[in-house]
């Protein structure tokens, strides 16, 4: 299985782009973006294993969110 | 143990093998583009004609002998059933999957009609990942945390040679540098979709920054009003269902049974198929969003005219 999607062959981007990433997302994520694809994924696996990253659905909006806690708060509190 | 990245790839390959036309979007798409999002969830845009195939795939994956013995469930707030009509009406579906006994709960969201994206554009996309422009448009939510990704995706698009990135780019120095390099036709085309770009040359940095703030607020307000309609409808539906027969939800039944239960409940307890399709509803939401931005930020009529994208772009 080729894990690397076709659209994401490591493209060459100018320093200006990484400076923008640093402004927007911080130094660590800008540094991560500079890594080759395979190393980026390896580092992300480490982050996933180390941190309990937030559930994207932990709050409304419905097209993006809503977990059991949100269900309880949102649905039963005003019934 | 399957990691979130491994699971996403397994699911991507399954969709491909079964011929389900689908595109990866949102956080995991950002990851593939080299923009770090730490979410473990995967969001998929599914071609509206492929929902039956997707449901069949999920049911097969649950089978013990011929399938992979996954456990699959709609989530508590599940949105709408995995059904063509509901998805064409702008609903989304939220699922949880356990790929084996010790695996973590994987969260998957499905969009048949992604918000803020012209279907004429994304339906033409090929490959397995939504374009940067499509992902950026979907990230224009009212959640503050999404906007750095809008700008980062747009910047990557621009620096990779696509002027479409300018539809979403919010960085003033890069905008100023990029704009003069475009042809007249390119500029004209972009200004039609994003009027703010027509003010780059006439505006100093402070004025441009204010216009960017107004523009962002407008996307946020309209989006919030839009999803509140879905939220209100869903809550009413769920209360009707709960009062009558839902009991404990989600159940531990197989996905096939759950799916039919959800489909029947949606029909029996009147989950509206397309809440935004009522006559004049989009126009009402759009106008209200514009009014809220005007009031919140004391926006003048001329400023609003400089930033206001067409209704069809915010609420396609």
């Amino acid at each position: 299985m080729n894990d690397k999607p076709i659209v994401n062959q490591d493209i060459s981007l100018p320093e200006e782009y990484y400076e923008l990433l640093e402004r927007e997302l911080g130094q660590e994520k800008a540094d991560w973006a500079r890594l080759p694809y395979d190393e980026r994924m390896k580092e992300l696996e480490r982050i996933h294993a180390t941190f309990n990253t937030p559930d994207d659905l932990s709050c409304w909006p419905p097209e993006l969110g809503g977990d059991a806690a949100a269900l309880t708060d949102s649905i039963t509190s005003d019934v | 143990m399957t990691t979130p990245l491994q699971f996403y790839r397994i699911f991507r390959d399954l969709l491909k093998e079964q011929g389900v036309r689908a595109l990866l979007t949102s956080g995991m798409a950002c990851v593939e583009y080299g923009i770090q999002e730490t979410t473990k969830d995967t969001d998929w845009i599914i071609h509206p004609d492929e929902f039956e195939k997707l449901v069949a795939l999920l049911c097969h994956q649950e089978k013990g002998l011929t399938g992979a013995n996954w456990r699959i469930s709609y989530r508590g707030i599940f949105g709408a059933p995995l059904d063509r009509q509901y998805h064409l009406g702008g609903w989304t579906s939220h699922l949880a999957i356990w790929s084996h006994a010790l695996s973590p709960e994987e969260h998957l969201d499905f969009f048949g009609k992604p918000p803020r994206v012209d279907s004429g554009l994304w339906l033409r996309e090929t490959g397995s990942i939504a374009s940067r422009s499509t992902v950026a448009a979907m990230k224009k939510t009212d959640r503050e945390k999404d906007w750095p990704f809008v700008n980062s995706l747009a910047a990557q698009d621009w620096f990779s040679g696509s002027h479409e990135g300018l539809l979403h780019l919010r960085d003033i120095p890069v905008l100023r540098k990029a704009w003069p390099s475009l042809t007249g036709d390119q500029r004209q085309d972009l200004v039609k979709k994003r009027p703010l770009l027509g003010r780059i040359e006439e505006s100093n940095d402070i004025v441009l920054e204010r216009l960017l703030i107004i523009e962002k607020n407008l996307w946020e307000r309209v989006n919030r009003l839009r999803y509140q309609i879905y939220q209100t409808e869903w809550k009413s539906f769920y209360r009707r269902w709960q009062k009558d027969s839902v009991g404990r939800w989600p159940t531990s039944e197989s996905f096939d049974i759950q799916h039919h239960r959800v489909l029947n409940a949606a029909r029996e307890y009147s989950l509206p198929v397309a809440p935004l399709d009522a006559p004049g509803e989009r126009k009402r939401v759009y106008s209200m969003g514009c009014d809220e931005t005007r009031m919140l930020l004391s926006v003048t009529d001329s400023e609003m005219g400089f930033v206001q994208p067409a209704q069809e772009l915010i609420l396609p």
Side-chain angles (χ1 to χ4, degrees), chain A residues 1-9 11-21 23-25 28-30 32-34 37-38 40-45 47-79, chain B residues 3-6 8-10 12-13 26 28 31-41 43 75-77 79 92 94 107-109 111 115-116 126 128-129 132 138 141-143 145-149 151-152 155-156 159-160 169 171 173-174 177 223 226-227 230-231 234-235 238-239 242 249:
Chain A
M1 180 171 71
N2 179 13
D3 286 341
K4 192 185 288 194
I6 295 164
V7 295
N8 199 56
Q9 302 301 339
I11 47 173
S12 173
L13 290 159
E15 191 55 29
E16 224 176 332
Y17 166 72
Y18 294 102
E19 285 169 6
L20 183 145
L21 274 195
R23 286 197 297 278
E24 284 288 4
L25 304 169
E28 275 184 31
K29 289 188 177 181
W32 178 84
R34 292 172 193 271
Y37 180 88
D38 292 339
R40 284 204 302 268
M41 295 302 155
K42 205 169 152 188
E43 176 63 10
L44 193 64
E45 295 273 26
I47 293 169
H48 281 162
T50 312
F51 300 102
N52 187 19
T53 57
D55 176 359
D56 215 24
L57 309 185
S58 59
C59 58
W60 295 97
E63 85 268 12
L64 296 165
D67 63 1
L71 184 74
T72 305
D73 295 344
S74 307
I75 301 296
T76 61
S77 61
D78 59 350
V79 171
Chain B
T3 68
L5 282 172
Q6 285 166 343
Y8 134 62
R9 289 169 182 150
I10 290 168
R12 174 197 66 193
D13 292 346
S26 207
M28 211 58 97
V31 164
E32 288 292 4
Y33 283 122
I35 299 167
Q36 191 192 102
E37 260 253 38
T38 50
T39 179
K40 295 172 184 173
D41 303 353
D43 294 0
R75 296 187 64 189
I77 294 177
T92 52
H94 310 299
H107 293 157
L108 296 89
D109 302 334
F111 302 77
R116 301 171 289 282
T126 55
S128 58
I129 302 181
R132 296 176 186 90
M138 289 182 75
T141 70
D142 62 326
R143 301 187 307 184
K145 74 182 186 85
D146 284 328
W147 285 84
F149 294 96
N151 200 28
S152 302
Q156 192 182 105
F159 285 117
S160 307
L169 192 65
D171 189 272
V174 181
K177 202 172 165 186
N223 182 57
R226 182 192 64 80
Y227 80 66
Y230 287 89
Q231 184 184 41
W234 195 87
K235 284 182 182 178
Y238 190 81
R239 286 191 192 105
Q242 190 179 48
W249 181 258

Side-chain angles (χ1 to χ4, degrees), chain B residues 159-180:
Chain B
F159 285 117
S160 307
S162 166
H163 65 267
E164 211 176 337
L166 268 63
L167 290 175
H168 313 290
L169 192 65
R170 303 181 41 76
D171 189 272
I172 292 174
V174 181
L175 274 173
R176 286 207 185 285
K177 202 172 165 186
W179 192 243

Side-chain angles (χ1 to χ4, degrees), chain B residues 40-261:
Chain B
K40 295 172 184 173
D41 303 353
T42 46
D43 294 0
W44 296 93
I45 303 174
I46 303 288
H47 192 291
D49 295 342
E50 305 283 20
F51 280 98
E52 277 186 29
K53 236 189 258 181
L54 176 63
V55 169
L57 179 158
L58 293 168
C59 291
H60 180 75
Q61 285 302 110
E62 250 195 356
K63 287 181 183 167
L65 291 176
T66 54
N69 210 11
W70 286 3
R71 178 167 179 249
I72 302 172
S73 173
Y74 279 99
R75 296 187 64 189
I77 294 177
F78 59 84
L82 288 169
D83 174 79
R84 182 178 190 274
Q85 289 307 318
Y86 277 100
H87 275 263
L88 284 175
W91 287 96
T92 52
S93 302
H94 310 299
L95 264 58
I97 296 181
W98 295 261
S99 59
H100 55 84
L102 296 175
S103 79
E105 179 178 331
E106 309 287 355
H107 293 157
L108 296 89
D109 302 334
F110 297 96
F111 302 77
K113 184 181 178 189
R116 301 171 289 282
V117 180
D118 178 0
S119 61
L121 293 176
W122 77 261
L123 284 171
R124 284 202 299 272
E125 291 182 12
T126 55
S128 58
I129 302 181
S131 69
R132 296 176 186 90
S133 189
T134 291
V135 181
M138 289 182 75
K139 284 277 184 188
K140 287 180 172 175
T141 70
D142 62 326
R143 301 187 307 184
E144 197 58 41
K145 74 182 186 85
D146 284 328
W147 285 84
F149 294 96
V150 174
N151 200 28
S152 302
L153 287 157
Q156 192 182 105
D157 219 8
W158 167 251
F159 285 117
S160 307
S162 166
H163 65 267
E164 211 176 337
L166 268 63
L167 290 175
H168 313 290
L169 192 65
R170 303 181 41 76
D171 189 272
I172 292 174
V174 181
L175 274 173
R176 286 207 185 285
K177 202 172 165 186
W179 192 243
S181 69
L182 300 178
T183 66
D185 286 348
Q186 286 172 331
R187 289 193 202 189
Q188 210 174 359
D189 185 44
L190 289 168
V191 169
K192 268 187 215 159
K193 295 173 184 163
R194 190 185 186 193
L196 176 143
L197 296 171
R199 305 303 302 170
I200 290 175
E201 285 168 329
E202 289 86 349
S203 309
N204 65 33
D205 281 2
I206 294 297
V207 172
L208 198 52
E209 190 171 339
R210 176 167 164 76
L211 293 179
L212 284 162
I213 290 169
I214 296 169
E215 184 194 49
K216 174 171 168 268
N217 190 265
L218 185 57
W219 282 94
E220 290 169 339
R221 301 309 303 183
V222 173
N223 182 57
R224 185 171 302 177
L225 289 165
R226 182 192 64 80
Y227 80 66
Q228 276 173 351
I229 290 170
Y230 287 89
Q231 184 184 41
T232 304
E233 293 290 1
W234 195 87
K235 284 182 182 178
S236 302
F237 150 77
Y238 190 81
R239 286 191 192 105
R240 289 191 293 274
W241 186 25
Q242 190 179 48
K243 197 175 165 188
D244 199 357
S245 62
V246 65
R248 189 181 172 83
W249 181 258
T251 63
S252 56
E253 294 160 307
S254 71
F255 185 72
D256 184 35
I257 294 173
Q258 263 195 15
H259 178 62
H260 284 98
R261 191 185 282 278

